[in-house]
Amino acid sequence: MKKSVRNAVLGLMLLSFTLPIGLSLTHSTAQSAAQTATQSATQTASWRETKCALYQQHRDETRATMPENTTSALFDDQETAFIASGCTQRSYVCPNSPGELDYANLMAVKLMNEGATGSFLPFACKETGK
């Protein structure tokens, strides 16, 4: 048998084995995508609650390792108001000292590693005087 004919026959044989597998995987992938979309719609309502719980968890863990008075009373009050709102209130927790900025940066990294976006975080300062 010539080499080109043999290669064509082998190619067709290979295709006959892989085509059913590929179709099965495509069907399975479509089903999986539909299930994921349904789960995502169900979970969306609680995603903010989950992020808020994660925020509180990381806050407690991080603050437990910080020296006392690293953050000011104003900073603490602003952050507490954010959490008390269920993390839904657009709060401005403004880091004014190096310790507060370090804390805000660490919390941002921790929350982003959990899947939260930067827009979820309360760390921002209001512009005044303009």
Side-chain angles (χ1 to χ4, degrees):
M1 188 180 296
K2 285 190 167 181
K3 196 173 188 178
S4 61
V5 173
R6 185 189 69 185
N7 289 345
V9 170
L10 289 174
L12 287 173
M13 288 175 55
L14 180 61
L15 182 62
S16 70
F17 288 117
T18 58
L19 188 58
I21 293 170
L23 290 175
S24 174
L25 288 176
T26 301
H27 177 71
S28 174
T29 302
Q31 279 182 323
S32 177
Q35 287 172 346
T36 301
T38 302
Q39 289 171 348
S40 179
T42 304
Q43 293 172 350
T44 301
S46 64
W47 176 228
R48 181 168 288 279
E49 295 168 352
T50 301
K51 288 187 292 186
C52 195
L54 288 167
Y55 185 94
Q56 291 177 64
Q57 175 189 340
H58 286 297
R59 175 189 188 221
D60 294 344
E61 290 170 0
T62 302
R63 285 182 174 265
T65 64
M66 290 170 35
E68 276 190 49
N69 301 322
T70 300
T71 57
S72 68
L74 177 61
F75 184 90
D76 295 343
D77 290 346
Q78 292 168 336
E79 186 178 40
T80 299
F82 172 69
I83 293 170
S85 76
C87 304
T88 59
Q89 177 182 325
R90 182 69 245 163
S91 298
Y92 292 94
V93 181
C94 183
N96 287 306
S97 70
E100 290 173 350
L101 185 58
D102 289 344
Y103 169 76
N105 286 334
L106 182 58
M107 287 294 289
V109 170
K110 287 182 176 189
L111 270 290
M112 288 179 166
N113 283 340
E114 295 284 0
T117 61
S119 61
F120 168 77
L121 298 168
F123 305 114
C125 298
K126 288 183 183 180
E127 287 188 40
T128 57
K130 287 191 176 186

